[in-house]
Amino acid sequence: MNTQRQSRWSGHWLLRDYGMVVALVLLVALFSWLTLTEQFPTGEDAGRQVAELVLAQPDSPRGVLVVVRDTPEDWAFAEEVERGVKAGGATVLARVRGGAPDVRQAIERILAEGGTIDAIAANEVTASWSVYDRFPQLDQVPRVKPQPYPWPNFLKLSNLLGVANQTAIYALIAIGMTLVIVTGGIDLSVGSLVALSSVSTALLLRDWGGGAQAGPAAIVLAALVGTSLCAVAGSLNGVLITLFRLPPFIVTLGMMMMASGLAFRLSEGRSIPELPAGFAWLGRGRMVGVPNPVWLMLGGYLLAHVCMSRTLLGRYVYAIGGNREAARLSGVAVNRVLLLVYTLSGALAGLGGLVLTSQLSAGDPKFGQMYELEVIAAVVVGGTSLQGGYGKVFGTLIGAFIIAVIKNGMNLLNVDPYNQKIVLGGVLMLAVLLDTAKRRSGH
Amino acid sequence: MTAEWAGAAPLLEMRGIGKSFPGVRVLQGVDLTLHRGEVLALLGENGAGKSTLIKMLAGVHRPDEGQIAIDGEPVDLSGPDASLAAGIGVIHQEFQLVPGLTPWENIFLGREQTRWLVDRRGERERAERLFEQLGAEIPLDTPCGELSVAQQQLVEIAKALSQDVRLLVMDEPSAALSPEEVPRLLAMVEELKRRGIGVIYISHRLEEIFEIADRVLVLRDGEVVGSGATAGLTRGRLIEWMVGRSIEREYPKQWHPRGNVRLRVEGLRRGTAVRGVGFEVHAGEVLGLTGLIGAGRTEVARLLFGADRADAGEVWLDGRRLQLGSPARAIAAGLCLLTEDRKHQGLVLGAGVLENFGLPNLEEFSGGGWLWGGRERRAFDGHAERLRIRLANPAQPARQLSGGNQQKVVLAKWLQRQAGVLIFDEPTRGIDVGAKYEIYQLINDLAGEGKAIVMISSDLPEVLGMSDRILVMHAGRVTGEITDVAHATQQQVMELAVA
């Protein structure tokens, strides 16, 4: 009889498994609304638009002055304006790149040569300079600038990619943490392992790889060693937890201290900035306009999702978290699975350390501090139960993004960092509250 | 007060009780009356609505329709406090004791007697008196977690009495007791009766009902299908009421020709729990293994299966030596164990039925670590049909199934393994009559297929009714073997069990 009750309440699988998606969408909508401001087009699009506007002026202007600042984006704008204006039969008297003094000189020269300025093509910034007011001849000359349009700062592509990029490392480590928590465990050592992998990789590159001159082979080798070191630390966690039946909380707390101490010892507490330029590809490179860490994150989640839903390993992880004894008595190699899960968590923390080192161009023992808590928060906000047995990796991805979006939104709104912390703490509690309420109604 | 309730009002009167959960009607028009000093047996298959009815008395659910009256006064049992204030105590199947606290600390938990600080001596003395009145000897200073199940049950009873309860609901109180402990429980209920306490007694064991209950009320699909004084009723009649059809033979035993030895055990020992056990089981044979709780029956099964480590012992499966110590190895060798504790050892309750079914069989449904869900699903559907597992869909959490259906899911997962030797530990505990019958038939079929079956059970009629041969254990040793099961009696088994 409870069965019918359940099927009525469970609803759509998307809501049931990923109810946090709704929360994320609402947050995005909220911050979009709150950060809605006038935006001005820039670059080529803006150039095309301004050229058309210039040509559409009354009395078909003949001589056009283009004024831009000295930035690549503005150059592209100026070139597009010039092309458009020429195609419309007008002439560009001069293209001014730079500041107000350059504009003054250019106008003086044109006027001295007896030229007539019929229109000034400018952008939002250059159009508002006061230099034009010095010339009474220009009083009647229209200053054409791109048309503003309303768009949220939050929803700008550059901002969204920034959010994704900042989330990538947490999210990557959170994959391993999700697996660990689904088995009913916890891994507090990931933050310190980030530092350990960062320091060990950077040291290897500096002392054996040739520092800034290190070649690709040395980079790959150093990265592999750094990650493997963390995998070994993770497997050591696993061995202590399975063979000696120690509680995961204590074992990984110990590992957290040991790994951090080791990272500080190896680096003597200092940052190690002697890294080759090629190493920056991992953290700061882009493919198809998207930062590499984001690709890494997406790939990792896809793989983890398939693994958790379609392979034996995934099934066993859930079964162990749901009822370890029943899993063992069903012939599941419980210890082997747990060992693998903790090793994976360590390795992913190591990978996260590599990305962070690459992003910040230095190895540093202070990297990764408090990451374990950020990552656990992402897992929990994503709907994984700390009791074990339940949880979805994509839920964790969404959890990580919920936290990142709230942080980013508050930054855009200039919320004080201390207040941000208070809000984030509240969000964590709220997420668990909602999840608990949902589970209660479900059973 | 209406005219109907005039005169000596009954202790408890439930009238026209109805309850619906979203989408399903659980109880409809249920009338229940209980007098002082009376034992009413509440019967019904799992899912018949018994637990909902009890939960109303415990203040967990509130009826949608109908009235509850105590001593003729309508009461609103809006919560556990209100229920206790009305004098109703409920002893759940799973005890509500804190394992780290002593019996007297548990009894007064939440109602500590204080004189500035907790009056430990006063509480302990009161507890002592309570146990004296019950005629029970309980080590007062041992943490409850270390007491036997029967002792814990006594603590629960004492706790209820200390709260001046006038109506006690007991949910399957005998399920966790061994045969020798049941008479003591029944004596206790007699004592409660004598003191004028009304008892609602829920059990699947019909023998107890006939021994202890004054009246019987049977629920099916949320409605009362029969009630009456126990004296005028027969076993067959009760079963018919419960399952809605008559069952010719409660134990549909079939005899099959005995084949080769499939399981041979020699000199199995572990500490003081198992002290040198050896036996053989043949193809087509059902070996009943019984004894008191703690005699070492379950321990033997766990050692064979590798769930616990044996100090010594050798096991052969189909003539091949089995290396002990790992369930995975035992399963691979063709042995399977249906554990006595379905909820903690047999199932991942929060996981779906299909996931549970697949757990020991995933290698069969996969290639290179990749899972073929379709194969798993088809295999499960086959078993679901054969075993008549009732469920909404295979993704449904195992937690939501009734006890009988849960047990069938565990059976399905082992049947898929095609194991040659099956150990069933208390296969029908807490399962209703209809599902029991189906499990007996399955045991027959398996024996017919030439499998060897070890059936561990405390339910003596079941052991006598379904076994080809019976082994009785006492204190870690096999104390007797009964080969002529058809002419054996419960008395005979009990004598060996307490030897």
Side-chain angles (χ1 to χ4, degrees):
Chain A
M1 59 182 61
N2 284 333
T3 62
Q4 290 171 23
R5 189 180 162 199
Q6 172 65 13
S7 60
R8 275 239 334 217
W9 284 101
S10 56
H12 193 263
W13 64 270
L14 195 71
L15 278 179
R16 191 180 62 224
D17 290 348
Y18 301 110
M20 288 297 162
V21 174
V22 179
L24 184 58
V25 169
L26 288 178
L27 279 171
V28 166
L30 174 73
F31 285 123
S32 298
W33 180 60
L34 288 176
T35 61
L36 196 63
T37 34
E38 294 266 278
Q39 308 282 348
F40 294 92
T42 55
E44 290 183 11
D45 289 342
R48 221 165 292 135
Q49 190 195 36
V50 167
E52 276 171 28
L53 287 171
V54 167
L55 294 172
Q57 292 292 321
D59 310 330
S60 307
R62 305 289 313 159
V64 180
L65 176 67
V66 183
V67 183
V68 295
R69 289 161 301 175
D70 197 8
T71 66
E73 209 174 30
D74 278 17
W75 298 346
F77 167 75
E79 258 165 43
E80 196 61 34
V81 172
E82 183 162 354
R83 190 179 317 146
V85 167
K86 274 185 181 159
T91 4
V92 172
L93 299 167
R95 264 200 284 170
V96 184
R97 287 181 196 163
D102 303 310
V103 178
R104 186 165 50 85
Q105 282 171 14
I107 295 176
E108 278 166 358
R109 205 181 60 238
I110 293 169
L111 294 177
E113 288 168 1
T116 323
I117 300 174
D118 298 322
I120 299 172
N123 63 23
E124 168 59 18
V125 180
T126 57
S128 60
W129 286 343
S130 58
V131 60
Y132 313 105
D133 302 337
R134 295 158 161 258
F135 303 94
Q137 301 94 314
L138 297 184
D139 277 355
Q140 301 300 315
V141 174
R143 273 175 244 161
V144 183
K145 61 182 183 186
Q147 294 288 306
Y149 62 96
W151 188 254
N153 279 335
F154 175 80
L155 272 192
K156 283 178 172 174
L157 186 63
S158 59
N159 185 57
L160 292 180
L161 284 178
V163 170
N165 198 23
Q166 284 155 18
T167 315
I169 296 177
Y170 292 131
L172 212 51
I173 303 173
I175 294 176
M177 188 67 82
T178 307
L179 265 63
V180 167
I181 291 182
V182 168
T183 65
I186 192 95
D187 188 351
L188 298 177
S189 65
V190 290
S192 299
L193 291 181
V194 165
L196 185 61
S197 113
S198 170
V199 164
S200 54
T201 305
L203 270 181
L204 278 175
L205 282 172
R206 187 187 71 186
D207 296 347
W208 282 287
Q213 275 73 50
I219 294 176
V220 170
L221 198 67
L224 274 179
V225 172
T227 318
S228 311
L229 193 62
C230 294
V232 168
S235 63
L236 189 62
N237 281 337
V239 166
L240 291 170
I241 288 162
T242 54
L243 286 190
F244 299 97
R245 292 209 144 245
L246 302 182
F249 188 95
I250 300 301
V251 169
T252 59
L253 183 67
M255 182 56 74
M256 169 181 160
M257 295 179 188
M258 283 165 58
S260 175
L262 192 61
F264 272 94
R265 239 200 91 133
L266 288 174
S267 63
E268 289 161 344
R270 284 194 291 271
S271 174
I272 304 159
E274 295 88 349
L275 294 179
F279 193 67
W281 177 83
L282 179 64
R284 288 192 285 172
R286 282 171 180 252
M287 289 191 292
V288 208
V290 175
N292 286 343
V294 177
W295 286 118
L296 196 61
M297 171 184 79
L298 291 177
Y301 272 88
L302 215 59
L303 214 63
H305 174 73
V306 170
C307 179
M308 288 297 271
S309 56
R310 293 273 181 278
T311 68
L312 300 198
L313 177 70
R315 275 287 181 84
Y316 289 159
V317 166
Y318 284 114
I320 291 170
N323 188 340
R324 184 168 167 167
E325 185 63 4
R328 186 175 79 98
L329 294 180
S330 294
V332 176
V334 173
N335 286 356
R336 221 180 304 160
V337 173
L338 285 177
L339 193 65
L340 184 64
V341 165
Y342 281 94
T343 306
L344 199 66
S345 177
L348 281 167
L351 188 59
L354 289 184
V355 177
L356 190 64
T357 308
S358 168
Q359 275 180 347
L360 302 178
S361 309
D364 196 314
K366 289 184 288 300
F367 282 174
Q369 280 177 0
M370 305 286 277
Y371 270 39
E372 58 282 343
L373 299 186
E374 292 265 355
V375 167
I376 292 169
V379 174
V380 169
V381 170
T384 295
S385 158
L386 282 176
Q387 317 290 323
Y390 301 93
K392 294 272 193 294
V393 279
F394 275 131
T396 298
L397 184 61
I398 289 156
F401 267 94
I402 285 179
I403 294 175
V405 162
I406 292 175
K407 277 187 187 170
N408 176 258
M410 288 194 295
N411 277 334
L412 292 177
L413 295 171
N414 291 320
V415 176
D416 172 86
Y418 300 134
N419 290 339
Q420 289 196 14
K421 258 189 165 173
I422 297 175
V423 170
L424 283 172
V427 166
L428 184 61
M429 291 180 189
L430 188 72
V432 181
L433 191 73
L434 285 177
D435 199 54
T436 311
K438 191 182 77 182
R439 276 193 215 298
R440 239 176 244 153
S441 70
H443 287 304
Chain B
M1 202 182 282
T2 63
E4 295 163 57
W5 288 345
L11 175 58
L12 170 72
E13 172 112 65
M14 298 176 93
R15 274 290 168 97
I17 299 292
K19 177 79 184 173
S20 296
F21 290 122
V24 60
R25 197 160 177 88
V26 198
L27 287 175
Q28 189 164 15
V30 172
D31 294 333
L32 183 155
T33 313
L34 179 71
H35 297 279
R36 287 174 200 79
E38 184 185 44
V39 176
L40 173 71
L42 186 57
L43 295 182
E45 301 201 276
N46 293 329
K50 287 173 305 186
S51 39
T52 310
L53 199 64
I54 295 167
K55 281 180 180 167
M56 282 179 184
L57 290 176
V60 177
H61 293 317
R62 294 170 88 164
D64 298 338
E65 301 155 12
Q67 270 191 16
I68 302 176
I70 300 274
D71 290 335
E73 294 290 331
V75 287
D76 178 18
L77 304 175
S78 56
D81 308 349
S83 162
L84 203 56
I88 301 173
V90 180
I91 298 180
H92 295 279
Q93 218 170 332
E94 273 159 29
F95 300 147
Q96 321 276 312
L97 298 174
V98 182
L101 298 183
T102 63
W104 54 272
E105 281 167 334
N106 264 301
I107 288 173
F108 295 104
L109 189 63
R111 301 173 297 124
E112 282 78 6
Q113 308 180 344
T114 50
R115 282 188 315 194
W116 293 107
L117 295 172
V118 176
D119 178 12
R120 295 171 60 87
R121 192 184 300 161
E123 283 189 357
R124 197 176 178 286
E125 277 167 9
R126 271 195 64 186
E128 211 170 352
R129 274 203 301 282
L130 276 168
F131 286 120
E132 254 168 42
Q133 287 166 11
L134 286 171
E137 273 179 41
I138 297 281
L140 271 178
D141 299 308
T142 309
C144 282
E146 294 170 24
L147 298 180
S148 73
V149 179
Q151 285 173 323
Q152 292 187 30
Q153 194 168 52
L154 279 169
V155 175
E156 284 274 14
I157 294 174
K159 182 171 178 173
L161 290 183
S162 78
Q163 291 161 332
D164 295 324
V165 155
R166 294 182 303 142
L167 193 173
L168 195 60
V169 181
M170 303 176 90
D171 189 4
E172 296 260 6
S174 60
L177 300 184
S178 62
E180 59 152 10
E181 290 167 331
V182 174
R184 246 187 276 159
L185 169 73
L186 298 183
M188 191 73 54
V189 175
E190 284 291 347
E191 168 66 19
L192 297 175
K193 226 172 116 166
R194 208 180 48 74
R195 291 182 176 204
I197 293 172
V199 177
I200 296 180
Y201 191 96
I202 297 164
S203 178
H204 287 304
R205 296 191 183 168
L206 298 182
E207 281 166 87
E208 291 165 24
I209 306 277
F210 281 100
E211 202 168 317
I212 194 78
D214 301 303
R215 280 190 307 121
V216 178
L217 185 83
V218 183
L219 287 179
R220 192 172 70 229
D221 299 330
E223 290 178 61
V224 176
V225 287
S227 68
T230 320
L233 291 169
T234 61
R235 221 179 145 84
R237 191 68 195 279
L238 288 185
I239 292 174
E240 204 180 319
W241 273 343
M242 278 192 275
V243 296
R245 64 194 146 87
S246 62
I247 287 181
E248 294 281 309
R249 292 163 60 198
E250 222 177 312
Y251 302 104
K253 175 68 187 160
Q254 289 168 10
W255 276 267
H256 300 284
R258 214 162 101 156
N260 298 329
V261 173
R262 298 208 72 165
L263 172 70
R264 186 150 68 88
V265 182
E266 273 180 21
L268 200 61
R269 21 178 101 245
R270 176 186 164 89
T272 56
V274 179
R275 299 190 257 195
V277 168
F279 57 89
E280 287 180 351
V281 193
H282 297 254
E285 186 184 36
V286 179
L287 175 72
L289 185 58
T290 190
L292 307 181
I293 299 244
R297 304 163 307 172
T298 296
E299 287 77 2
V300 166
R302 286 179 61 88
L303 291 179
L304 286 181
F305 191 61
D308 295 324
R309 290 206 172 266
D311 297 338
E314 291 178 5
V315 174
W316 282 268
L317 274 173
D318 292 325
R320 210 171 304 161
R321 176 84 186 269
L322 169 69
Q323 203 170 349
L324 296 175
S326 147
R329 261 202 309 268
I331 292 168
L335 181 68
C336 71
L337 169 66
L338 187 87
T339 56
E340 61 170 339
D341 187 344
R342 211 164 35 233
K343 291 184 174 158
H344 295 112
Q345 299 172 349
L347 288 168
V348 183
L349 285 176
V353 167
L354 197 59
E355 276 82 5
N356 272 292
F357 165 73
L359 209 46
N361 301 304
L362 287 186
E363 258 137 51
E364 187 189 334
F365 304 132
S366 67
W370 186 268
L371 199 60
W372 301 107
R375 283 191 213 166
E376 184 184 33
R377 176 68 196 265
R378 279 192 295 280
F380 176 74
D381 286 346
H383 291 291
E385 203 182 309
R386 177 179 173 193
L387 297 173
R388 284 191 273 168
I389 304 177
R390 277 180 291 262
L391 35 79
N393 71 73
Q396 193 179 7
R399 186 191 310 281
Q400 293 171 355
L401 301 190
S402 70
N405 278 316
Q406 284 181 346
Q407 190 70 306
K408 288 181 188 173
V409 171
V410 183
L411 281 168
K413 88 178 189 187
W414 291 124
L415 292 183
Q416 180 66 25
R417 286 293 315 186
Q418 303 283 348
V421 179
L422 301 105
I423 306 173
F424 291 162
D425 196 355
E426 302 285 1
T428 62
R429 175 187 286 176
I431 287 178
D432 56 63
V433 181
K436 253 185 197 174
Y437 189 76
E438 287 171 0
I439 288 176
Y440 294 144
Q441 277 178 328
L442 179 74
I443 290 178
N444 277 333
D445 291 351
L446 291 171
E449 289 167 19
K451 299 186 188 294
I453 294 160
V454 179
M455 186 182 77
I456 301 173
S457 177
S458 300
D459 187 344
L460 291 183
E462 172 177 288
V463 173
L464 290 166
M466 287 305 298
S467 310
D468 293 293
R469 190 157 58 93
I470 297 172
L471 287 185
V472 185
M473 283 188 71
H474 176 76
R477 290 197 182 86
V478 175
T479 48
E481 179 176 358
I482 298 172
T483 43
D484 183 14
V485 177
H487 297 101
T489 61
Q490 292 193 33
Q491 184 64 27
Q492 206 179 332
V493 176
M494 278 313 289
E495 271 163 22
L496 291 168
V498 297

